[in-house]
Amino acid sequence: MSPLTAVPARIRPHLTGSWEGGCNVILVRKGRPGASVAEHRRATLKLWPERRVLSMAVTGSGFCLATLHASTGARAEADVLEAARLAAEWAGDAPLVLGGDFNLRPRSSDAFDRLEQLYGLTGVTDPSAIDHVLGRGIDVLDPARAWPDVRRDVPDPGTGLKLRLSDHSPVVCRVST
């Protein structure tokens, strides 16, 4: 953390949001059969110029959920393809969801065609989006979509003012195996 953000982050962490690289989170709702994390795996894709990590959770039912925040520019495509390769290898034949900030737009990259051909991953959020939720071996009940800006604004508990915690809207979808 830089000295510029260290003090505010300690005092009021919600004010710095994801200013320093963001966060991709895997949430598993408990209370349903198989809805627990049975295994967690991580792989560092890059250390320089910024650390990039693939994270994958395998639920008790065998459903695999993976996420990454890819590099920008020319390095993004290599990050996404390597993350997909690892996630598909780890998942084997199990259902797989790979999501996150790919920093790739389907309208500008053929990487999404390769992700489908090589790993069976489909379901881009939008042709102009950089955040995606792709799946393989799943039924998509509600396709991936980004929240509107107004939905991601939250009130600051100290002032009541609206805060935007990230420069990206969450991308949500509903799937079944």
Side-chain angles (χ1 to χ4, degrees), residues 33-93:
S36 62
V37 177
E39 181 182 357
H40 179 255
R41 292 185 177 193
R42 285 173 36 134
T44 301
L45 303 173
K46 295 256 184 334
L47 289 172
W48 180 259
E50 292 180 325
R51 187 170 68 103
R52 300 298 177 180
V53 174
L54 169 68
S55 182
M56 187 166 106
V58 180
T59 68
S61 65
F63 185 64
C64 300
L65 305 156
T67 185
L68 82 147
H69 183 178
S71 299
T72 57
R75 293 183 300 269
E77 193 169 293
D79 286 1
V80 171
L81 290 168
E82 176 63 5
R85 185 191 68 75
L86 285 170
E89 179 182 302
W90 292 345
D93 293 331

Side-chain angles (χ1 to χ4, degrees), residues 100 125 129-133 143-147 168-173:
T125 305
I130 61 172
D131 302 309
H132 301 281
V133 178
R145 68 189 186 306
W147 280 4
H168 296 256
S169 288
V171 175
V172 296
C173 70

